[in-house]
């Protein structure tokens, strides 16, 4: 029989470790401090061209053309940028380290989320819409006036800017994943009553993740609203996987046509292709 030289564990019933117990607390970031490096007064031509790259030259260039057509070129660009910013609830800035547009999302006067459009890692990888430390991924940007009976829902930072620029009613989820946890989201609870009884038009991204998120969102909203999933990607020729509402704006470009198509979706409920005046870029 083998005899063990190991100590008898029964002798250590009351054993207490001598080393102190170390607890780790997650570092908390102050978002206001994190965005101090942003140039919030940098609203010149560079930001204007970033917006054109995001949404298309024709779409952005036409927003205030009548107002600016008699101005000199540089001044015209500056005025357009200021008018676009005035039109939005959100604020623009410029992040010089990454040479990128930055978007700041506010809940009234409180900064909730800051995102850098092109964040470059040390290895050279580019991350789109990088959330600055301290940002809330759950925050829901919205525009909901009581006099309207509809509301669009889309996913992503870019879409919030589009609906603000177009002046349409909306709320935005920053990612597909937020659709699954909507009932427990404190920012949703704040707008829930504003949504009651409205026609909710959900604009999913054209991929499996987008479809699943749209169905989850529709299921969460059906008790208080009339939610519908709008297959807007069928209004263009051969949409690629991941096609989203920003891509739709880039494809159509004509802001009046974009709005009219959306109005038709609200009024008709279903939209046949004969109702669409397709206007591809040339």
């Amino acid at each position: 029989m083998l005899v063990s030289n190991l100590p008898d564990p029964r002798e250590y019933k009351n054993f207490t470790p001598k080393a102190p117990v170390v607890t780790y607390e997650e570092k908390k970031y102050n978002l206001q401090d994190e965005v101090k490096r942003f140039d919030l007064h940098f609203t010149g031509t560079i930001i204007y061209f970033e917006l054109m790259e995001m949404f298309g030259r024709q779409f952005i260039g036409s927003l205030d053309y009548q107002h600016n057509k008699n101005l000199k070129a540089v001044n015209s660009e500056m005025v357009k940028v200021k008018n676009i910013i005035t039109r939005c609830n959100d604020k623009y800035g410029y992040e010089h380290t990454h040479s990128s547009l930055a978007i700041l999302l506010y809940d009234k006067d409180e900064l909730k989320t800051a995102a850098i459009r092109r964040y470059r890692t040390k290895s050279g990888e580019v991350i789109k819409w990088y959330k600055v430390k301290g940002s809330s991924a759950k925050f829901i940007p919205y525009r909901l006036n009581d006099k309207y009976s509809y509301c669009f829902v889309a996913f992503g930072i870019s879409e919030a800017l589009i609906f603000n620029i177009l002046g349409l009613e909306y709320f935005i989820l920053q990612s597909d994943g937020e659709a699954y946890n909507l009932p427990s989201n404190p920012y949703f609870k704040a707008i829930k009553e504003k949504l009651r009884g409205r026609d909710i038009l959900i604009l999913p991204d054209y991929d499996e993740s987008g479809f699943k998120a749209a169905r989850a969102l529709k299921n969460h909203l059906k008790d208080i609203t009339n939610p519908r999933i709008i297959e807007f990607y069928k209004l263009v020729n051969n949409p690629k996987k991941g096609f989203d509402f920003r891509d739709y704006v880039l494809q159509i470009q004509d802001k009046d046509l974009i709005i009219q198509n959306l109005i038709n979706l609200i009024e008709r409920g279903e939209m046949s292709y004969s109702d669409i005046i397709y206007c591809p870029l040339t």
Side-chain angles (χ1 to χ4, degrees):
M1 183 176 70
L2 294 176
V3 179
S4 174
N5 293 323
L6 294 175
D8 187 345
R10 290 174 294 183
E11 297 178 9
Y12 296 92
K13 289 181 179 180
N14 299 320
F15 173 76
T16 302
K18 295 181 180 180
V21 177
V22 179
T23 58
Y24 295 91
E25 292 185 4
E26 183 179 355
K27 182 178 180 181
K28 295 182 178 180
Y29 293 89
N30 186 310
L31 186 56
Q32 290 284 1
D33 291 339
E34 293 294 318
V35 301
K36 284 182 178 178
R37 67 180 185 274
F38 290 4
D39 188 345
L40 301 181
H41 303 286
F42 197 82
T43 56
T45 305
I46 291 180
I47 285 185
Y48 178 70
F49 282 111
E50 285 240 18
L51 293 171
M52 284 202 303
E53 182 184 341
M54 287 172 62
F55 304 129
R57 180 182 296 271
Q58 182 181 339
F59 177 71
I60 293 297
S62 67
L63 291 176
D64 300 285
Y65 174 73
Q66 293 296 326
H67 181 70
N68 298 311
K69 63 181 180 180
N70 295 322
L71 298 176
K72 292 182 179 179
V74 174
N75 289 335
S76 176
E77 306 302 329
M78 292 290 289
V79 172
K80 283 183 181 179
V81 171
K82 290 178 181 178
N83 287 348
I84 291 169
I85 292 173
T86 301
R87 196 181 298 239
C88 293
N89 296 330
D90 315 312
K91 296 184 179 180
Y92 297 81
Y94 195 77
E95 217 290 352
H96 289 280
T97 303
H98 301 278
S99 302
S100 175
L101 178 74
I103 303 300
L104 283 69
L105 303 179
Y106 284 81
D107 183 10
K108 297 177 181 177
D109 295 327
E110 184 179 357
L111 178 61
K112 292 295 184 181
T113 303
I116 300 171
R117 186 186 172 215
R118 291 185 310 274
Y119 180 92
R120 293 174 173 82
T121 66
K122 293 180 179 180
S123 63
E125 178 188 2
V126 176
I127 302 174
K128 292 183 179 179
W129 293 120
Y130 173 84
K131 302 291 195 318
V132 177
K133 293 174 181 177
S135 294
S136 170
K138 293 181 177 297
F139 176 61
I140 300 177
Y142 70 91
R143 173 190 278 129
L144 295 169
N145 294 309
D146 294 337
K147 63 181 179 179
Y148 296 109
S149 61
Y150 74 92
C151 173
F152 290 98
V153 187
F155 303 84
I157 300 293
S158 297
E159 281 71 11
L161 301 182
I162 293 171
F163 285 117
N164 260 333
I165 290 171
L166 293 175
L168 298 172
E169 301 290 284
Y170 73 92
F171 78 85
I172 295 295
L173 300 182
Q174 295 185 44
S175 68
D176 291 348
E178 292 303 316
Y180 300 97
N181 302 313
L182 192 69
S184 62
N185 187 323
Y187 298 104
F188 174 70
K189 293 177 181 179
I191 65 172
K192 185 175 179 179
E193 288 306 311
K194 290 180 176 288
L195 297 173
R196 190 173 296 278
R198 291 182 187 243
D199 287 322
I200 305 296
L201 301 142
I202 304 170
L203 306 174
D205 294 355
Y206 184 60
D207 53 30
E208 184 177 359
S209 175
F211 299 152
K212 287 182 177 179
R215 288 194 290 269
L217 185 59
K218 181 179 180 180
N219 186 57
H220 289 318
L221 293 172
K222 64 184 180 182
D223 291 336
I224 61 169
T225 70
N226 177 29
R228 286 178 282 162
I229 297 175
I230 304 301
E231 297 177 312
F232 67 94
Y233 39 80
K234 290 185 176 180
L235 306 180
V236 300
N237 294 331
N238 301 319
K240 295 181 179 179
K241 182 179 179 180
F243 188 89
D244 59 18
F245 192 68
R246 184 183 76 90
D247 295 320
Y248 177 70
V249 169
L250 279 169
Q251 183 89 8
I252 302 299
Q253 284 294 286
D254 186 325
K255 69 180 181 66
D256 294 328
L257 180 58
I258 291 168
I259 292 176
Q260 187 57 54
N261 283 348
L262 294 177
I263 290 173
N264 289 343
L265 288 172
I266 296 169
E267 293 179 346
R268 297 287 297 275
E270 295 295 333
M271 196 177 207
S272 67
Y273 292 114
S274 61
D275 295 326
I276 303 300
I277 305 172
Y278 178 58
C279 182
L281 295 178
T282 58

